[in-house]
Amino acid sequence: MEYFVYFCNINVIKILGMEGILDMELFGISVRWLLTFVIKGAIIYLVVRVLTGVTKYLFFRSLHKQRKIALDETKVSFMRRIIVTAIYIIGIAAFLSLIPGMEKVSNSILASAGIMAAAVGLASQDALSNIIGGLFIIFSQPFKLGDFVEIDSTVKGTVIEITLRHTVIRDAENRMILIPNNKINSSTIINSSYGDTSTCAFVEVGVAYTVNLDRAIEVMRDEIMKHPLLIDHRTEEDKKKGLPEVIIRVINLGDSAITLRAWAWASSAATAYSMKCDLLKSVKERFDAENIEIPYPYLNVVNA
């Protein structure tokens, strides 16, 4: 019995000692409140990290898991960013609710109207319009990740990423071009990867007026037909009519040359460009071998 009383007295002393420590204040802040704040803050941090990690894992798994119906990488990536951002906003609101006097701020952030007010207040009008513009791009899909596009005839390249604020395009020089989403929505977009990706390359060469045009067209067509990237873009009806695979026509009677244009088709915009560069070189060399003159303007100065 005596041991039991002694044991109880020891526990009471320990409890009273712990309570006394918790009731202490450091710089005017209760140790009990400070300890509770740290524990709750750590829990909120761990929950946010776990939720964002699980979200990223699930979206990554949905993209790489073999399924009969393939998920759109562009939509999945964009939606992942939105969900992760929402988790961070809720985590910040929960953390602010722990601070005395910040409860109203936390409640306004969690409310739908409060989220919009915070977005308008903290972000500029351009930033908000970029987010809305990003949503339009994702759901209207003028292009998607991996597409080769041309924006307003100034920016040309492959779409690498679509974020909440901008779209990233990699050009032929491997430079990353960041274009605001609201600007893209008001731009003219040429998407070479949309629908039929086959592309026609215009191969234009000028010949002298003294050249036999039929002979020049025959030589030019023969050289183009040898290129490995050339594809037959004729329909069955065109083939029945006997139309040539490569059409060449006279398009201009210039001051010093007659311009011939060939319509040469390739499987994509990139291969069409490569084929055009190759053909300009090979046609020029073939014309030189066939003594078909490619004239150039020159000026005679006569001294009176």
Side-chain angles (χ1 to χ4, degrees):
M1 187 67 179
E2 293 179 357
Y3 289 107
F4 176 76
V5 173
Y6 176 77
F7 179 77
C8 291
N9 290 335
I10 294 295
N11 287 337
V12 169
I13 293 173
K14 290 182 179 179
I15 293 173
L16 291 176
M18 182 61 67
E19 290 292 331
I21 293 175
L22 293 176
D23 290 335
M24 293 176 58
E25 292 187 356
L26 296 175
F27 304 104
I29 301 175
S30 171
V31 174
R32 184 191 303 274
W33 181 90
L34 184 61
L35 183 61
T36 304
F37 176 82
V38 171
I39 294 174
K40 290 182 178 180
I43 293 174
I44 292 173
Y45 174 78
L46 291 176
V47 170
V48 170
R49 291 300 298 258
V50 169
L51 289 178
T52 54
V54 170
T55 301
K56 292 178 181 179
Y57 170 76
L58 291 177
F59 277 103
F60 178 82
R61 184 181 177 184
S62 65
L63 282 175
H64 293 80
K65 188 176 181 180
Q66 297 295 333
R67 294 183 178 181
K68 293 182 179 180
I69 301 176
L71 296 177
D72 188 344
E73 183 180 358
T74 306
K75 290 182 179 179
V76 171
S77 176
F78 195 83
M79 293 304 297
R80 176 180 60 81
R81 290 177 182 275
I82 292 179
I83 294 176
V84 170
T85 302
I87 293 174
Y88 279 123
I89 291 176
I90 295 174
I92 292 173
F95 181 79
L96 291 176
S97 66
L98 301 177
I99 304 175
M102 299 294 289
E103 293 86 356
K104 293 183 178 180
V105 177
S106 174
N107 293 334
S108 65
I109 292 177
L110 291 175
S112 58
I115 292 176
M116 293 301 298
V120 174
L122 298 177
S124 65
Q125 184 177 0
D126 289 339
L128 185 59
S129 64
N130 285 331
I131 295 175
I132 297 175
L135 292 174
F136 283 141
I137 292 174
I138 292 302
F139 291 103
S140 63
Q141 281 198 314
F143 53 80
K144 58 183 182 296
L145 297 182
D147 284 2
F148 187 83
V149 298
E150 182 177 350
I151 310 296
D152 281 341
S153 301
T154 56
V155 177
K156 183 184 297 185
T158 303
V159 179
I160 299 300
E161 187 178 13
I162 302 174
T163 69
L164 294 175
R165 290 179 55 87
H166 53 257
T167 297
V168 183
I169 296 177
R170 181 175 62 195
D171 65 6
E173 298 177 346
N174 201 35
R175 295 181 299 176
M176 302 301 172
I177 303 173
L178 281 66
I179 306 177
N181 290 329
N182 62 343
K183 182 178 180 181
I184 289 183
N185 280 297
S186 60
S187 300
T188 301
I189 302 172
I190 300 176
N191 190 346
S192 300
S193 303
Y194 191 88
D196 185 7
T197 59
S198 56
T199 305
C200 182
F202 293 158
V203 182
E204 298 181 3
V205 180
V207 297
Y209 276 87
T210 57
V211 169
N212 185 322
L213 293 180
D214 292 334
R215 175 58 180 165
I217 291 174
E218 179 184 352
V219 171
M220 188 174 180
R221 179 179 291 115
D222 180 64
E223 194 64 29
I224 295 174
M225 291 291 293
K226 295 178 182 179
H227 202 283
L229 296 179
L230 180 71
I231 64 172
D232 190 353
H233 197 260
R234 294 175 297 174
T235 63
E236 293 298 327
E237 184 178 355
D238 292 337
K239 293 178 181 179
K240 291 180 181 179
K241 292 180 180 179
L243 293 179
E245 184 175 345
V246 178
I247 297 176
I248 303 176
R249 292 191 174 99
V250 176
I251 63 168
N252 186 37
L253 300 176
D255 294 335
S256 59
I258 300 174
T259 305
L260 302 178
R261 173 185 288 179
W263 281 257
W265 288 84
S267 59
S268 65
T271 55
Y273 180 77
S274 299
M275 181 180 65
K276 178 180 179 179
C277 295
D278 295 341
L279 290 175
L280 288 174
K281 178 178 181 292
S282 62
V283 169
K284 193 270 180 188
E285 293 174 347
R286 180 70 181 277
F287 276 11
D288 290 343
E290 299 287 341
N291 293 321
I292 299 175
E293 181 184 357
I294 301 178
Y296 53 89
Y298 59 90
L299 177 66
N300 289 330
V301 179
V302 179
N303 295 323

